[in-house]
Amino acid sequence: QGTVFAQQLVDEIMGPGFIEKPARLYGDNEGCIYMIRNCKTGQRTKHIDIRHHWIRELQQAQEIDVVYKETEKMTADILTKNTSIETFHKHASAMRG
């Protein structure tokens, strides 16, 4: 939701076409990515509330593109998870550019 909001905000301020679409979102959960790309449900996925299926619609409308990225390469993890000091320094330097 935050990505969609940011896209809409920048489009409104800078004009349409300023941001490249689809927005690329990285995830390290292959099962989740599979469910987003393939609209299949089964016994283990029936419990997911329909309100969480909006991400599939965004993927199909090519507003977002969910891409797999290995956990070790997820730079944003230092903002949300406990990591070793080495991992923290590696990803912090990557964020600085």
Side-chain angles (χ1 to χ4, degrees):
Q1 288 173 330
T3 301
V4 174
F5 172 76
Q7 280 183 322
Q8 292 171 346
L9 180 65
V10 172
D11 278 350
E12 191 170 315
I13 294 170
M14 303 301 290
F18 187 78
I19 294 181
E20 182 181 318
K21 289 187 181 180
R24 185 166 291 137
L25 300 177
Y26 294 101
D28 58 359
N29 186 323
E30 291 181 89
C32 180
I33 294 170
Y34 178 83
M35 285 178 44
I36 291 168
R37 291 185 179 162
N38 304 293
C39 296
K40 297 178 183 175
T41 58
Q43 288 296 102
R44 298 176 73 183
T45 60
K46 280 193 202 176
H47 70 281
I48 299 172
D49 196 333
I50 192 74
R51 64 191 164 124
H52 298 293
H53 292 285
W54 59 272
I55 197 162
R56 284 184 183 166
E57 295 169 10
L58 293 174
Q59 175 89 17
Q60 290 171 349
Q62 296 183 343
E63 292 289 323
I64 62 167
D65 183 26
V66 182
V67 180
Y68 176 75
K69 192 172 194 176
E70 296 174 19
T71 303
E72 296 80 28
K73 297 180 181 177
M74 295 288 281
T75 303
D77 278 357
I78 65 169
L79 303 173
T80 60
K81 298 178 182 173
N82 291 328
T83 60
S84 68
I85 193 72
E86 296 84 16
T87 303
F88 178 83
H89 285 299
K90 177 180 130 187
H91 290 308
S93 65
M95 286 179 155
R96 281 187 236 123

